[in-house]
Amino acid sequence: MSFFNSIFSTAAPTQTGLQTVEKLCDRLEHSTLLEDRRNAVRSLKSLAKEYQADVGRLGLHLLLHVLENDSTDADITRFALETLIALCTSKPSQAANTTAAGAPADDDLGLRFTEAFIQMNDTVSLLLSLLAENDFYVRYTTVQLLTLLLTNRSDQLQNCILAAPMGISRLMDLLKDSRESIRNEALLLLVQLTRSNQAIQKIVTFENAFELLLDIMEEEGFAEGGIIVQDCLHLMSNLLRKNVTNQNYFRETSCVPRLVPFLRSLSPSHASASAPPAASHHNNGSSHHHHQHQHHGHEGHGHSHDGDDDHESHGHSHAGGHGGGDAQTPQPAHWTEQKTANAVLGLQLIRILVPPNNTSIVITQKTMLQHGIIALLAEIALFEDLPPRVKCEALSTAAEVIRGLPASQDAFAQCRVSVNGAIVATPLALLFAMLEPRRAFAERSAALYLFQSLVLNNEDMQTAVASTLPGNSIPFMPARAAAGRGQSSALGSGIHPSSSSNNLIATAGLGSGGVTLVAHVQGAGELLANGLFNAQDPLANWLCSIALGSVITNSTVAKDMALSSHISARLGEKPLSLMSQCTNAMTQVSGTGALSRSSVSSPSAASSDPSSTPRTLVGLLRLLCSWLADSPAAVRTFLHSTYNLPFLVELLEQHHSTSTGAVSVVIQGMAALLLGLCFAHNDVAESTFNRASIRLTIQNRINLETFNGYIANLGRCEYFTKAASNTSFSSTKPGDVWFDYEFTVLFKRASVAIERALDPAYEHLQTLPQAPSAPQGYALPYQNFGQNPGVASSPQQQGQPSPMPPQQQPQQQHQQQQQQYQQPLTPVQQSTQQPYSPTPQASAQVADHSADHALVLQNFKDLIRKQDSEIAQLRAAVSQRDSEIATLTTQVQASKQSTPTLPSQGEVSALQTLTTLQQEHDSLKADHEALLGILAEYDDTKAKYRQRILDLGGEVTDEEEEDDGESEQ
Amino acid sequence: MAGYSYLFKYIIIGDTGVGKSCLLLQFTDKRFQPVHDLTIGVEFGARMITIDNKQLKLQIWDTAGQESFRSITRSYYRGAAGALLVYDITRRDTFLHLTNWLSDARQHSNTNMVIMLIGNKSDLDARRQVSYEEGEQFAAEHGLIFMETSAKTAANVEDAFIGTAKQIYQKIQQGIFDLSNEANGIKVGPQHAGSGVVPVGRGETGGDGGNPNAGGGCC
């Protein structure tokens, strides 16, 4: 002790500090007395913070030596460990560093010593072996040091621990330590250890981590259980995120039902009648929590930083909740910050188990359904008095738990919750939450996400909701009960419910075969329609547009129901069709100048959100895109009002000329998409708005390239790519969100269809008035044929004799061209490969039907002739390949017999050639078959036309009969 | 029914390409996948079986055979009650490496771990490089149970997994295992213990539910 005192009597300037450190290190190195060494380490420890550089530089290896040789003495071991902790800790700010020592300030000493310490021989094994010591402080400080090293040099430490025999087992044993402080420190250590390392995550799982953690959570009282529960949830999230093996483990070892009591601890009914066992556990543990808070204080930073990206957004939503709705919804009394954090993490954990757009999650979704998790989530998500962060998370969690699985969706719809004291069905409560203007954007958009997930790939649910639209005259007929399920979801983007395995739950969940479904959604259509045209709340317009868009997506019946819906915009006004109301509203919001942002005159200034006026327009455009896609009936209705098409063109030009802002890109792109859909799914006969005239508009008035540019720009803009990357709404700021995920799916499909429809090469396939839905069906193989360079070029490359004289093709084309110029132009004639430049006369002369048919027939014959020759070429190529393959195969077999061991160089290349040839052969065969398919369809159409020509009194000549005979061969 | 009397942890070890993952798939999903992705690290499967009218849950950890994963594989030895040591009867080298595998296993596992030696791919008899007798003899020398299986035809696959379970079960009956220590890969189930901690009636989706993501996620 006298030695110790002497240091401090003289230790004023830096130089003396260094000298003292030197003296202490010397003593530590050379003293033979344990007590001297122990005192030296204790003194070094007290200097390590202030003279970090000197103590580290001179003492690091000596401290390691202590751990190696003096580990029988608990005190010196503990002091050495504590000194190491001080050395490896990074100073919070560099400013403090510069004043203390003359050491280079820009160098992080903590990281440098961490690195140096790890690189010394076997340090990690040494530390792991210290864990065998039962002394509290040795074990406790060892865990802390390991956590610190892991935080500083994650990858290196993870690898060292993986390599050490029984390394992870030892760390896992700490969770079973009866001393809670050690167990709690071990939790923090494991959180660091399991970060983004799948191998470690699996071993930790193998060592029963989930079972142990769930036990601890139960002991601590679930969501009420303080920061220890937060650590447990954090660790479990680490183990499960993006780790499919562990997700399977979690499901297969009955961990899912153990989440039920956790959710129950969040549910409002629990709060009112707090379950006695949980409460007693809570009391039991709480004293320890307080004890632990200091230890967590340091790591607390880690918690808020190292979670996932959602954290920031929660910050927003939280703030939003306070700013917007604090007066109405103060932070509920029983919701402490800690409980809120636990709740959010627990809900996120459930979401990790059911990542959207992943077919393998269906089993997990079903397990959750079986254990009543859906009802619990419904109760939590739709409870009004919740912290906004929890509410948002619960809505999104419920969405992903039921998403795309009809049995779960039905189960959710069957739940009843209390809203303002009244008991209502969940779908309605959900819409109330979405339409509540005082709620923050994050909550309202999360409610929308849940609503979309409720109807996704569930045509019965979709039609049930659509049937409640005001004035709808089409009765709801559940398809599922009669015809099983699956047909409706074939087009779906997300999960396809596997028809075989669903039945069990489907029948259980939906007692009366779907008839009752409509009872659960009664009133939904009305709410949606009201929200759609509520002039006070542009955000509601947008939310309802998207919700209704999801209701009718991919469902002809639901679209028809929407078409038959009539409502009056204001009380007492004459009801108009829903579609007319939509287009009227669009015209209104985009009325003079309203779109050029500066002059926005939001009538009631319902929100200060500058995005409010374009928001209504974007929403309505989005709704119409869902509506018109694949629906000639909707296109017809839309175009029936002669103002609509010019309006779209106006939208394009207006924005083209006024601004180049990001929202402008959005509106242009959506208007172009809608215009494209009017073209692609058009079966209008009248000349005003048929395909030909719309094509003219696109090509002449807008310019095809500009038009395609609008659509491409939309697909490239940040709003779009962000929405496409995540099924839920990732931002909580309304200005950042213009699209929902489902729209991005629709967009991708629609833009391909539009591009194909506009391509002159396919026009002939699509102008068939008789088969409006056919084009997609057979345009696809034809496209493959046309675009496969291997097919197109290989005959020439191989120098093969074409079965048809080469000059014949140009001749044919020439003939076609002549015809084109001689005859009046019709839409059909655009089929020729020549670029088509339309003239005003052309579109005016579409009317004469019999001439039309003759032309159609002529065109088809030309086309068939041409394709016949192509097929013949392909056939020749195929047979050529066949013979080549045959020779190669015999060669290979021969060489195999001669050299049975290693294949020679030549043989390898021959094999390679053979494989490529076989592949080519296969693709040729496929093309061939596709072409035959197309031919068959042509024949059908031709027969139909001939019949019609005959009906019309035309003549079919023998030569034409002959043609038919040929093409049928 | 729901719940189980005991849970046994297994590991499957052996050279790469001997059919470890296929054995697991055949046992849990009753199907054969001729082209299987290389196992990265470790994969997981589970199935319920019945022995002596008792429900037993098998929790099976399928390891990667390559040398580079050896240190990871070692972490699984200690906590396993049973090991399936697999070689390929059409590749002699996989048989010759058994000694290494065995010493590794013995060194890192608990002493009571039941090891079954499995000569896989018995359907490819024409290409056989290791005779049945050789396998049998190796097993006898090292005190292992022996069986030839085919993950393709499913021959003996059930017997291999269930036979191992029977051995472990026997050892439990004889009181060889300390059941309070879960580190030996045996867990007393809720059905057996009858404790109220875990709610009875928790459903199992069971191994027949399929394990469509055997490929594993990415980091």
Side-chain angles (χ1 to χ4, degrees):
Chain A
M1 272 302 135
S2 60
F3 172 74
F4 188 78
N5 288 338
S6 72
I7 297 165
F8 279 89
S9 57
T10 54
T14 315
Q15 212 183 3
T16 336
L18 174 61
Q19 284 170 353
T20 315
V21 172
E22 277 170 351
K23 217 178 277 176
L24 287 169
C25 286
D26 184 61
R27 179 161 291 229
L28 179 56
E29 193 168 8
H30 296 109
S31 175
T32 48
L33 276 179
L34 177 64
E35 200 183 334
D36 275 356
R37 294 204 299 276
R38 192 192 296 140
N39 284 335
V41 177
R42 196 205 314 252
S43 304
L44 278 174
K45 178 191 132 193
S46 62
L47 292 171
K49 253 191 193 142
E50 199 177 347
Y51 304 101
Q52 191 179 8
D54 299 327
V55 175
R57 183 167 49 83
L58 300 169
L60 199 62
H61 67 285
L62 298 173
L63 291 167
L64 181 65
H65 201 69
V66 168
L67 295 183
E68 277 167 348
N69 300 310
D70 288 333
S71 63
T72 44
D73 184 81
D75 285 341
I76 195 173
T77 308
R78 169 190 165 193
F79 296 144
L81 288 166
E82 284 171 349
T83 316
L84 283 166
I85 289 174
L87 292 179
C88 293
T89 302
S90 300
K91 289 266 167 72
S93 73
Q94 298 295 340
N97 228 1
T98 45
T99 50
D106 56 334
D107 198 12
D108 189 331
L109 290 172
L111 287 184
R112 213 173 69 187
F113 290 135
T114 301
E115 189 100 2
F117 183 66
I118 297 172
Q119 274 164 7
M120 291 175 179
N121 241 353
D122 267 348
T123 35
V124 174
S125 312
L126 183 63
L127 290 178
L128 288 170
S129 68
L130 285 179
L131 291 174
E133 294 289 331
N134 202 37
D135 180 83
F136 174 84
Y137 285 105
V138 171
R139 196 175 276 191
Y140 185 80
T141 41
T142 306
V143 176
Q144 284 196 320
L145 177 58
L146 278 168
T147 308
L148 179 61
L149 298 176
L150 267 167
T151 314
N152 286 350
R153 280 282 173 267
S154 177
D155 287 1
Q156 272 170 280
L157 244 285
Q158 283 176 336
N159 290 333
C160 291
I161 291 174
L162 260 183
M166 298 293 114
I168 292 169
S169 299
R170 280 172 206 267
L171 297 178
M172 286 300 295
D173 287 343
L174 296 170
L175 283 185
K176 297 173 207 153
D177 199 306
S178 57
R179 293 160 294 192
E180 279 195 24
S181 316
I182 288 179
R183 182 199 72 185
N184 297 344
E185 283 303 310
L187 273 175
L188 293 177
L189 167 63
L190 289 167
V191 166
Q192 292 294 330
L193 179 68
T194 52
R195 181 155 304 161
S196 56
N197 185 318
Q198 287 228 346
I200 291 180
Q201 288 162 4
K202 288 180 192 174
I203 296 171
V204 168
T205 297
F206 176 80
E207 299 275 354
N208 298 321
F210 288 121
E211 291 79 356
L212 290 166
L213 293 169
L214 288 163
D215 287 347
I216 294 174
M217 278 170 55
E218 187 175 323
E219 223 171 273
E220 298 284 330
F222 299 111
E224 315 278 358
I227 198 158
I228 301 308
V229 170
Q230 184 180 340
D231 292 338
C232 289
L233 287 166
H234 199 155
L235 178 51
M236 287 205 276
S237 304
N238 276 2
L239 296 177
L240 289 169
R241 187 175 289 121
K242 293 181 187 171
N243 190 325
V244 179
T245 305
N246 282 358
Q247 289 171 13
N248 287 342
Y249 179 96
F250 195 87
R251 187 186 61 235
E252 294 296 327
T253 40
S254 325
C255 293
V256 172
R258 297 197 64 185
L259 295 173
V260 171
F262 176 83
L263 287 175
R264 221 169 261 147
S265 73
L266 298 180
S267 82
S269 47
H270 164 88
S272 53
S274 193
S280 71
H281 274 302
H282 174 48
N283 293 338
N284 229 347
S286 56
S287 60
H288 296 292
H289 301 161
H290 293 303
H291 175 67
Q292 280 309 306
H293 267 286
Q294 294 105 337
H295 299 303
H296 277 87
H298 181 73
E299 288 300 321
H301 281 291
H303 279 298
S304 52
H305 287 304
D306 54 28
D308 26 31
D309 316 325
D310 299 55
H311 266 102
E312 208 181 349
S313 59
H314 287 311
H316 282 301
S317 76
H318 206 175
H322 276 287
D326 217 8
Q328 285 77 29
T329 56
Q331 180 90 354
H334 54 279
W335 281 92
T336 58
E337 266 305 309
Q338 184 59 57
K339 186 179 175 185
T340 303
N342 289 353
V344 169
L345 268 178
L347 291 164
Q348 279 173 353
L349 184 81
I350 295 177
R351 287 178 78 179
I352 291 172
L353 292 168
V354 284
N357 292 345
N358 184 336
T359 44
S360 67
I361 63 164
V362 176
I363 311 171
T364 313
Q365 286 181 314
K366 283 183 198 162
T367 314
M368 290 181 176
L369 174 64
Q370 279 168 6
H371 291 95
I373 284 181
I374 287 167
L376 272 170
L377 281 173
E379 193 189 2
I380 298 165
L382 295 169
F383 186 61
E384 291 165 300
D385 195 19
L386 273 190
R389 276 173 69 191
V390 179
K391 193 172 174 84
C392 286
E393 200 59 46
L395 287 165
S396 304
T397 307
E400 282 160 21
V401 166
I402 64 169
R403 203 177 153 76
L405 184 65
S408 297
Q409 291 163 326
D410 296 348
F412 181 84
Q414 280 175 356
C415 298
R416 294 287 179 276
V417 291
S418 160
V419 177
N420 289 329
I423 304 294
V424 295
T426 38
L428 285 204
L430 193 51
L431 290 176
F432 287 141
M434 187 176 98
L435 291 169
E436 174 58 69
R438 285 168 309 191
R439 293 212 178 266
F441 176 76
E443 280 178 71
R444 300 181 73 181
S445 60
L448 170 62
Y449 179 45
L450 176 50
F451 184 82
Q452 287 187 288
S453 302
L454 178 65
V455 298
L456 179 77
N457 291 350
N458 185 339
E459 190 164 19
D460 279 353
M461 189 71 78
Q462 291 177 284
T463 50
V465 176
S467 74
T468 65
L469 282 167
N472 162 52
S473 56
I474 302 171
F476 168 63
M477 299 277 282
R480 212 184 307 156
R485 89 168 42 122
Q487 330 94 297
S488 61
S489 61
L491 288 166
S493 52
I495 305 131
H496 299 256
S498 55
S499 51
S500 58
S501 45
N502 273 347
N503 297 336
L504 205 150
I505 305 164
T507 46
L510 202 78
S512 43
V515 186
T516 52
L517 208 52
V518 81
H520 305 314
V521 298
Q522 205 53 260
E526 201 121 0
L527 280 176
L528 284 172
N530 288 342
L532 207 52
F533 305 116
N534 178 355
Q536 310 299 312
D537 190 354
L539 189 56
N541 304 157
W542 182 78
L543 293 163
C544 286
S545 297
I546 294 174
L548 191 53
S550 289
V551 167
I552 59 175
T553 291
N554 294 338
S555 167
T556 316
V557 182
K559 283 179 191 184
D560 288 346
M561 287 171 168
L563 282 176
S564 88
S565 167
H566 283 71
I567 54 170
S568 29
R570 275 173 211 81
L571 215 67
E573 275 183 20
K574 193 173 140 251
L576 285 176
S577 77
L578 179 62
M579 178 151 330
S580 307
Q581 295 287 14
C582 287
T583 52
N584 287 352
M586 265 195 333
T587 331
Q588 269 169 26
V589 292
S590 64
T592 45
L595 284 173
S596 45
R597 290 163 298 172
S598 52
S599 57
V600 168
S601 55
S602 180
S604 62
S607 89
S608 52
D609 175 13
S611 66
S612 55
T613 303
R615 186 160 293 279
T616 305
L617 178 61
V618 170
L620 290 166
L621 284 168
R622 189 252 178 260
L623 168 60
L624 287 167
C625 284
S626 307
W627 207 340
L628 266 53
D630 300 312
S631 175
V635 171
R636 221 181 300 126
T637 313
F638 180 77
L639 293 176
H640 188 72
S641 164
T642 47
Y643 297 108
N644 285 339
L645 195 78
F647 172 72
L648 290 182
V649 178
E650 215 173 291
L651 271 186
L652 286 173
E653 288 175 346
Q654 194 175 350
H655 277 261
H656 188 57
S657 57
T658 52
S659 59
T660 51
V663 178
S664 187
V665 169
V666 168
I667 291 171
Q668 278 171 347
M670 294 186 95
L673 193 74
L674 199 52
L675 184 57
L677 288 170
C678 287
F679 173 75
H681 303 293
N682 187 318
D683 68 351
V684 176
E686 305 85 53
S687 57
T688 32
F689 294 120
N690 63 6
R691 289 179 74 96
S693 71
I694 297 178
R695 177 186 280 278
L696 281 180
T697 309
I698 293 173
Q699 285 178 334
N700 288 0
R701 174 100 184 248
I702 301 164
N703 177 318
L704 185 57
E705 220 166 279
T706 318
F707 175 83
N708 287 332
Y710 289 144
I711 294 181
N713 285 342
L714 174 64
R716 273 194 298 263
C717 79
E718 204 193 329
Y719 299 135
F720 184 90
T721 50
K722 228 177 174 178
S725 67
N726 208 332
T727 54
S728 59
F729 295 94
S730 46
S731 174
T732 53
K733 276 187 283 182
D736 289 347
V737 181
W738 291 96
F739 302 118
D740 59 306
Y741 174 81
E742 305 303 334
F743 173 74
T744 66
V745 176
L746 169 78
F747 172 87
K748 285 170 192 164
R749 215 154 51 90
S751 56
V752 172
I754 292 167
E755 195 185 351
R756 191 176 297 153
L758 278 169
D759 188 337
Y762 305 111
E763 180 63 5
H764 57 83
L765 299 176
Q766 289 157 337
T767 38
L768 306 176
Q770 295 295 313
S773 63
Q776 287 173 328
Y778 50 85
L780 195 63
Y782 184 69
Q783 186 193 30
N784 284 344
F785 163 70
Q787 293 187 347
N788 186 345
V791 175
S793 57
S794 55
Q796 280 88 346
Q797 279 174 352
Q798 304 289 325
Q800 279 185 19
S802 168
M804 204 178 175
Q807 62 269 31
Q808 205 161 324
Q809 272 183 303
Q811 261 179 15
Q812 264 186 359
Q813 273 185 7
H814 183 62
Q815 277 172 6
Q816 282 176 349
Q817 277 172 27
Q818 280 190 334
Q819 276 174 359
Q820 211 171 41
Y821 296 131
Q822 285 158 5
Q823 313 257 344
L825 275 168
T826 70
V828 182
Q829 275 199 309
Q830 296 157 19
S831 65
T832 47
Q833 306 293 324
Q834 298 301 310
Y836 165 64
S837 50
T839 59
Q841 297 103 306
S843 59
Q845 295 181 336
V846 195
D848 190 345
H849 279 279
S850 58
D852 223 25
H853 289 309
L855 262 169
V856 171
L857 204 59
Q858 190 53 48
N859 270 299
F860 272 119
K861 278 179 197 159
D862 290 344
L863 197 83
I864 289 164
R865 228 175 266 133
K866 214 174 104 211
Q867 291 187 335
D868 271 346
S869 78
E870 280 168 341
I871 288 171
Q873 280 179 10
L874 285 172
R875 274 194 189 133
V878 167
S879 63
Q880 170 81 9
R881 286 294 139 74
D882 275 341
S883 66
E884 276 174 8
I885 288 166
T887 44
L888 278 169
T889 317
T890 48
Q891 275 174 16
V892 168
Q893 271 165 359
S895 59
K896 247 186 201 160
Q897 279 162 2
S898 60
T899 52
T901 49
L902 276 174
S904 69
Q905 189 74 27
E907 203 178 329
V908 170
S909 67
L911 271 170
Q912 280 166 350
T913 328
L914 180 63
T915 339
T916 24
L917 282 172
Q918 253 161 357
Q919 280 164 357
E920 277 179 44
H921 176 223
D922 289 345
S923 74
L924 281 172
K925 233 184 193 166
D927 288 331
H928 185 183
E929 270 158 29
L931 278 170
L932 285 178
I934 295 171
L935 269 183
E937 293 200 38
Y938 282 163
D939 285 342
D940 280 355
T941 336
K942 211 198 309 183
K944 241 184 262 165
Y945 273 112
R946 186 169 338 110
Q947 190 52 50
R948 209 155 4 128
I949 291 166
L950 287 172
D951 291 348
L952 290 165
E955 274 180 34
V956 182
T957 63
D958 285 351
E959 189 230 333
E960 283 164 338
E961 294 279 12
E962 249 175 53
D963 281 352
D964 292 346
E966 268 171 30
S967 63
E968 264 158 22
Q969 277 170 359
Chain B
M1 278 301 288
Y4 51 83
S5 299
Y6 294 106
L7 180 149
F8 297 162
K9 289 191 187 183
Y10 280 15
I11 50 169
I12 313 181
I13 52 174
D15 275 9
T16 183
V18 297
K20 297 183 291 298
S21 300
C22 292
L23 280 169
L24 175 59
L25 193 68
Q26 183 59 259
F27 181 65
T28 57
D29 287 27
K30 297 191 167 35
R31 62 194 172 94
F32 177 71
Q33 209 176 335
V35 184
H36 199 284
D37 291 343
L38 205 61
T39 306
I40 305 296
V42 173
E43 295 300 338
F44 168 81
R47 205 186 116 178
M48 203 75 101
I49 59 166
T50 312
I51 290 178
D52 208 9
N53 284 325
K54 289 237 162 43
Q55 292 283 315
L56 301 180
K57 180 140 195 169
L58 300 187
Q59 194 187 88
I60 305 149
W61 296 79
D62 166 34
T63 66
Q66 301 108 293
E67 190 61 42
S68 53
F69 289 107
R70 206 54 65 85
S71 73
I72 290 174
T73 306
R74 286 193 189 111
S75 302
Y76 290 84
Y77 285 119
R78 186 184 76 154
L84 270 56
L85 173 54
V86 188
Y87 68 94
D88 177 352
I89 63 157
T90 69
R91 278 165 56 206
R92 184 148 201 97
D93 54 323
T94 66
F95 180 74
L96 297 175
H97 294 154
L98 288 177
T99 340
N100 289 340
W101 282 108
L102 201 58
S103 68
D104 222 29
R106 297 260 199 242
Q107 190 189 336
H108 293 99
S109 67
N110 69 72
T111 45
N112 291 315
M113 184 165 82
V114 173
I115 305 177
M116 173 170 277
L117 181 65
I118 289 177
N120 192 31
K121 309 195 185 176
S122 62
D123 53 297
L124 301 177
D125 204 48
R127 282 160 48 191
R128 181 187 281 278
Q129 291 182 3
V130 183
S131 72
Y132 184 89
E133 290 70 26
E134 283 176 287
E136 204 173 31
Q137 194 190 340
F138 184 93
E141 279 168 14
H142 295 89
L144 316 173
I145 335 166
F146 176 64
M147 208 169 258
E148 280 196 353
T149 62
S150 165
K152 189 176 181 181
T153 67
N156 276 343
V157 173
E158 291 270 320
D159 288 348
F161 284 89
I162 293 173
T164 310
K166 278 182 181 158
Q167 287 266 325
I168 299 168
Y169 187 70
Q170 250 172 30
K171 285 193 172 185
I172 293 175
Q173 305 292 79
Q174 294 162 5
I176 292 172
F177 280 110
D178 169 18
L179 294 182
S180 65
N181 180 9
E182 282 182 16
N184 54 27
I186 299 169
K187 193 176 161 189
V188 181
Q191 201 182 63
H192 193 269
S195 82
V197 181
V198 187
V200 184
R202 37 154 69 167
E204 305 287 330
T205 56
D208 54 339
N211 183 357
N213 266 334
C218 59
C219 294

